[in-house]
Amino acid sequence: MRRVVIIGAGNVGSQCAASIMMLGLADEIVLLDVNSKLARAQVMDLDDMASGLKQRVAIRVGTYEDCTNAEFIVLSAGKSRMPGQSRRDMLQDTMRILDPIAESIKQSGFGGILICVTNPVDVVAEHLYRVLDLSRAKVFGTGTALDTARLRRIISKHTGVSRQHIQAFALGEHGESSFLWGSHLGFEGVTLPELMYQREALPPLKMGEINKLVRQRGGDIIAGKGRTEFGISTVVTDIMSAVIHNEHSIMALSVHLRGEYDESDISVSVPCIVGACGIEEVLQVNMTEQEISMLHMSCEAIRGYAKNVLG
Ligand code: NAD
C-alpha cells in the first residue's frame, strides 16, 4: 500500500493531492494541516472527486504517526507568496514552522522520500537535509523543476517544437538568481542553431529575455490569482512517477551538494537522475564559464540571505 502524506493542505497541498489521485500514484493520501477545519474540508472535497476516478484511493486527515510508513511526504506547509513578495522574503515565516515539522517527521521514523515545495525551497531542502537523518537522495526540493517547465513552454511557443521534446533546464536558486543552461539546449539531438537554420523566418531566441520571463512567471500568476498551484502539482507528480516507475529521469532538483561544481553544504538545482531510490545521481555536466559563474552566484545569493539558517 503506497501512502503519501501531504503536510500543508492549502492551495498547493490540495492540488498535489488531486493530481496524485488522478494519476493513480497513491493508494492512500493523508493530509496534515494546523488548520484542521480546512484539512477536513479538503478531504471531503477530494473524496467526492475520487468517486469519478477509475482507480481506488483513500484520503483522510491524519497525524505525524502516518509518516512512519509513508513512501512520500510532500511538504507544502506555509502560506502563499503575496503579490510583490519575493521567495527570500518568506524565509522568517517559513523557518518559524519548519523545526516543529522536522522534529515530528524525525520522531515518526519516516524513511521515505521527502519532496520539499515550501519556499524558499532551496533553504528548506538544505535545512531539512541537515536535521533529518536521511540521505540527500531522499530529502530534496522541487527547486527549478517548475522554472524548467516554464522555460520549455516558452521555447515550445517560440519554435513550435512540443515541450516534451525539448531538452532545456533552468538551474540554480528557485528565485531571483536562477539561470538557463543555454549552452546545452536541444531538441532530441537537434541543436538550436540547426533548428534555427531550418526555420529561417523565426526570430532568434534571446536567452536573457527568456530567463526574465521564466523568473517573472510565478509573480505574474500570483499578481492575478494570489497563488500558484497547478504547475507545481505536476512537478511533484513527475518526481513521484520517476521514483515509482524507476524511470531514471533527468530533472533539475534542489539537492545538497558535496563538492560537485566546487560547491558544498548548500542545496541548489542542478541536473539529477531520479529513480526508485530518489535522487540516484547528481550529474556534473559541462557548463560554460559564464554558466558556472552564474551557479556560484546563485549559491552565494542563497548563502547571503539565509546565513542565519545555513551558517
Ligand atoms: P496556503 O496558504 O494555501 O497553504 C499552506 C497551508 O499550510 C495552510 O493551509 C496552512 O494552514 C498550512 N500550515 C501552516 N503551518 C503549518 C504547520 N506548521 N503544519 C502543517 N500545516 C501548516 O499556501 P500555498 O499556496 O499552498 O503555498 C504553500 C507553499 O508552497 C508556500 O511556501 C509557497 O510559496 C510554496 N510554493 C512553492 C512552489 C515551488 O515551486 N517550490 C510553487 C508554488 C508554491
Side-chain angles (χ1 to χ4, degrees), residues 71-86:
E71 244 175 75
F72 295 93
I73 293 177
V74 177
L75 177 67
S76 51
K79 56 181 177 200
S80 311
R81 186 154 64 103
M82 288 180 300
Q85 189 184 31
S86 79

Side-chain angles (χ1 to χ4, degrees), residues 80-100:
S80 311
R81 186 154 64 103
M82 288 180 300
Q85 189 184 31
S86 79
R87 296 175 185 91
R88 296 176 188 180
D89 298 335
M90 301 169 78
L91 182 64
Q92 273 198 329
D93 282 345
T94 294
M95 290 314 299
R96 233 172 268 136
I97 63 165
L98 207 54
D99 280 331

Side-chain angles (χ1 to χ4, degrees), residues 165-214:
H165 298 284
I166 295 172
Q167 286 79 48
F169 288 92
L171 301 175
E173 176 193 10
H174 175 54
E176 280 98 297
S177 69
S178 65
F179 66 96
L180 308 185
W181 183 32
S183 60
H184 283 60
L185 177 61
F187 306 82
E188 304 290 9
V190 178
T191 65
L192 180 61
E194 283 164 347
L195 187 80
M196 297 310 269
Y197 180 75
Q198 300 276 320
R199 306 203 172 168
E200 284 171 348
L202 277 184
L205 273 181
K206 293 187 179 147
M207 298 311 272
E209 281 176 26
I210 293 176
N211 196 24
K212 267 194 215 146
L213 291 175
V214 169

Side-chain angles (χ1 to χ4, degrees), residues 63-260:
T63 68
Y64 279 95
E65 283 176 15
D66 292 303
C67 296
T68 310
N69 298 319
E71 244 175 75
F72 295 93
I73 293 177
V74 177
L75 177 67
S76 51
K79 56 181 177 200
S80 311
R81 186 154 64 103
M82 288 180 300
Q85 189 184 31
S86 79
R87 296 175 185 91
R88 296 176 188 180
D89 298 335
M90 301 169 78
L91 182 64
Q92 273 198 329
D93 282 345
T94 294
M95 290 314 299
R96 233 172 268 136
I97 63 165
L98 207 54
D99 280 331
I101 293 175
E103 189 52 37
S104 303
I105 294 174
K106 206 170 178 177
Q107 292 295 322
S108 76
F110 172 70
I113 289 172
L114 170 56
I115 303 172
C116 303
V117 176
T118 297
N119 276 316
V121 69
D122 302 297
V123 183
V124 169
E126 177 65 19
H127 185 67
L128 290 183
Y129 165 75
R130 290 184 189 187
V131 300
L132 297 174
D133 204 12
L134 294 169
S135 73
R136 69 174 179 173
K138 294 188 165 190
V139 183
F140 53 86
T142 52
T144 55
L146 181 56
D147 313 61
T148 294
R150 290 170 174 161
L151 168 65
R152 292 181 188 182
R153 184 195 61 80
I154 295 169
I155 295 176
S156 170
K157 202 164 169 216
H158 191 89
T159 60
V161 176
S162 84
R163 346 183 164 185
Q164 287 72 17
H165 298 284
I166 295 172
Q167 286 79 48
F169 288 92
L171 301 175
E173 176 193 10
H174 175 54
E176 280 98 297
S177 69
S178 65
F179 66 96
L180 308 185
W181 183 32
S183 60
H184 283 60
L185 177 61
F187 306 82
E188 304 290 9
V190 178
T191 65
L192 180 61
E194 283 164 347
L195 187 80
M196 297 310 269
Y197 180 75
Q198 300 276 320
R199 306 203 172 168
E200 284 171 348
L202 277 184
L205 273 181
K206 293 187 179 147
M207 298 311 272
E209 281 176 26
I210 293 176
N211 196 24
K212 267 194 215 146
L213 291 175
V214 169
R215 285 186 197 162
Q216 267 170 17
R217 183 81 168 177
D220 289 348
I221 298 171
I222 285 167
K225 61 179 266 188
R227 60 190 186 272
T228 69
E229 55 197 329
F230 301 125
I232 187 62
S233 76
T234 60
V235 166
V236 167
T237 54
D238 277 353
I239 296 168
M240 286 178 57
S241 292
V243 172
I244 292 165
H245 305 301
N246 197 17
E247 285 170 8
H248 309 293
S249 302
I250 300 183
M251 296 180 179
L253 295 173
S254 185
V255 62
H256 172 81
L257 297 183
R258 38 176 192 238
E260 294 89 354

